[in-house]
């Protein structure tokens, strides 16, 4: 069995159900062609796991969707609107597209509660009380209520990452991007973060997850996208990908990690 039935599975890409659409996206770093003709559609409520060898362009793909990286050619649209280049619209886009990084990236000099209220107040224009109420509810949802007044450095890595998830969720994002969210964690903390992500998937959040956690991919993903050398090489269900990878590159990759 793969995934959770949160998508309208019979909806074709390009229809109203499409939330994130990349068309023929290309990106270079100097001579390195890091994203090559990427076409990808992510539908509302879908959980897409992106896997592939180190250096294949997974992080750059996430960063392009959030416009942390500009692309050289092609189109990226969120909810039918092209990515804005700058200004207030860009800040709003970053709120719509929540991102969780490998390295937590919390504001070190703000408390946990402040980390989760700041964007709500600045970008979403909520008043302080409303923002704090929402923040406390989210901290409860990710299981760190007792840490609200501490600073990030006083928390474990797993707790920090769950706060980072709460901070992104506080902005009421349309889609959440996770770039290897458990890779920097001690083994005993990986599951507490994956469980929060599993719950989010069950709640219907649209998610793009770069991860090497194959258990998560098998149980939460509607689709697996396999990247190699800047290209999407396979795009299929987790069951199909893990039991019957078609490309040699995917077979080789799986033989190394499974
Ligand atoms: P992945 O996340 O799959 O490991 P990345 O998207 O981080 O891959 O990187 C893809 C390739 O682009 C790698 O060869 C990496 O060294 C290179 N790269 C990433 N970011 C930059 C950058 N800012 N400048 C130059 N090269 C970069
Ligand atoms: Mg990466």
């Amino acid at each position: 069995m793969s995934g959770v039935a949160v998508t309208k599975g019979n909806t074709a890409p390009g229809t109203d159900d499409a939330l994130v659409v990349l068309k023929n996206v290309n990106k270079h770093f100097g001579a390195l062609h890091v994203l090559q003709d990427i076409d990808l559609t992510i539908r509302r409520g879908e959980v897409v796991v992106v896997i592939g060898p180190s250096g294949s362009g997974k992080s750059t793909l996430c960063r392009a969707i959030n416009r942390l990286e500009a692309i050289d050619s092609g189109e990226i649209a969120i909810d039918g609107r092209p990515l804005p280049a700058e200004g207030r619209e860009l800040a709003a886009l970053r709120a719509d597209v929540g991102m969780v990084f490998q390295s937590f990236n919390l504001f070190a000099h703000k408390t946990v509660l402040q980390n989760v209220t700041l964007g709500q107040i600045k970008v979403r224009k909520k008043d302080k009380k409303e923002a704090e109420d929402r923040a406390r509810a989210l901290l409860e949802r990710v299981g760190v209520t007792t840490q609200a007044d501490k600073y990030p450095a006083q928390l474990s890595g797993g707790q920090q990452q769950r706060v980072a998830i709460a901070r992104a969720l506080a902005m009421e994002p349309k889609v959440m991007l996770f770039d290897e969210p458990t890779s920097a964690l001690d083994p005993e903390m990986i599951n507490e973060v994956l469980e929060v992500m599993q719950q989010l998937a069950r709640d219907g959040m649209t998610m793009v997850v770069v991860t090497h956690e194959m258990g998560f991919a098998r149980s939460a993903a509607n689709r697996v996208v396999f990247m190699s050398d800047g290209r999407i090489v396979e795009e299929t269900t987790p069951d199909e990908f893990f039991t019957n990878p078609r490309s040699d590159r995917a077979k080789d990759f799986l033989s190394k990690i499974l």
Side-chain angles (χ1 to χ4, degrees):
M1 286 296 294
S2 68
V4 281
V6 289
T7 48
K8 296 171 192 165
N10 57 355
T11 311
T15 68
D16 285 346
D17 241 25
L19 181 57
V20 180
V21 178
L22 291 87
K23 280 189 192 150
N24 204 20
V25 168
N26 284 277
K27 166 79 182 171
H28 297 77
F29 287 119
L32 185 67
H33 197 171
V34 62
L35 295 179
Q36 305 191 30
D37 302 328
I38 299 288
D39 284 310
L40 181 64
T41 297
I42 294 146
R43 294 183 277 279
R44 282 174 221 283
E46 203 176 18
V47 177
V48 174
V49 163
V50 180
I51 63 179
S54 179
S56 55
K58 307 180 299 294
S59 292
T60 307
L61 178 73
C62 287
R63 293 168 61 81
I65 293 172
N66 208 353
R67 218 183 184 289
L68 291 167
E69 297 285 357
I71 57 174
D72 299 337
S73 64
E75 292 166 41
I76 303 178
I78 310 283
D79 219 355
R81 297 172 60 184
L83 296 192
E86 56 190 15
R88 188 171 290 188
E89 281 162 13
L90 182 57
L93 168 86
R94 298 251 168 85
D96 280 348
V97 182
M99 182 131 178
V100 175
F101 301 87
Q102 182 174 336
S103 53
F104 322 142
N105 292 26
L106 294 173
F107 307 122
H109 302 293
K110 305 276 180 199
T111 66
V112 164
L113 189 71
Q114 287 166 338
N115 264 276
V116 186
T117 54
L118 213 66
Q120 296 188 67
I121 294 165
K122 286 199 168 166
V123 179
R124 294 302 198 202
K125 308 295 178 202
K126 299 240 170 94
D127 67 43
K128 192 165 177 240
K129 168 81 170 66
E130 196 184 354
E132 286 189 359
D133 287 348
R134 182 169 171 77
R136 288 190 195 281
L138 283 165
L139 292 176
E140 185 168 355
R141 185 165 161 194
V142 302
V144 291
T145 26
T146 55
Q147 315 294 325
D149 298 320
K150 292 190 180 163
Y151 288 86
Q154 296 173 285
L155 273 57
S156 73
Q159 289 171 329
Q160 288 186 54
Q161 197 59 304
R162 286 180 284 144
V163 173
I165 294 172
R167 183 178 62 175
L169 290 176
M171 307 302 276
E172 300 174 69
K174 292 176 178 169
V175 53
M176 287 279 286
L177 311 178
F178 295 85
D179 189 3
E180 300 203 32
T182 60
S183 296
L185 295 176
D186 291 334
E188 72 272 21
M189 291 169 191
I190 290 175
N191 278 338
E192 66 194 41
V193 172
L194 291 178
E195 274 163 26
V196 168
M197 293 167 61
Q198 288 272 11
Q199 188 58 50
L200 207 51
R202 282 195 289 270
D203 291 345
M205 176 60 74
T206 309
M207 295 163 64
V208 178
V209 183
V210 179
T211 186
H212 297 302
E213 292 294 331
M214 297 302 134
F216 177 85
R218 276 181 180 272
S219 63
N222 301 102
R223 209 150 33 110
V224 168
V225 167
F226 176 72
M227 287 186 74
S228 177
D229 295 327
R231 290 184 184 278
I232 294 178
V233 176
E234 293 198 35
E235 191 179 342
T236 183
T237 62
D239 267 359
E240 179 72 12
F241 182 74
F242 291 112
T243 57
N244 190 22
R246 268 167 272 168
S247 64
D248 288 342
R249 279 183 280 187
K251 284 177 195 166
D252 181 54
F253 176 76
L254 286 171
S255 74
K256 285 175 184 148
I257 62 159
L258 291 180

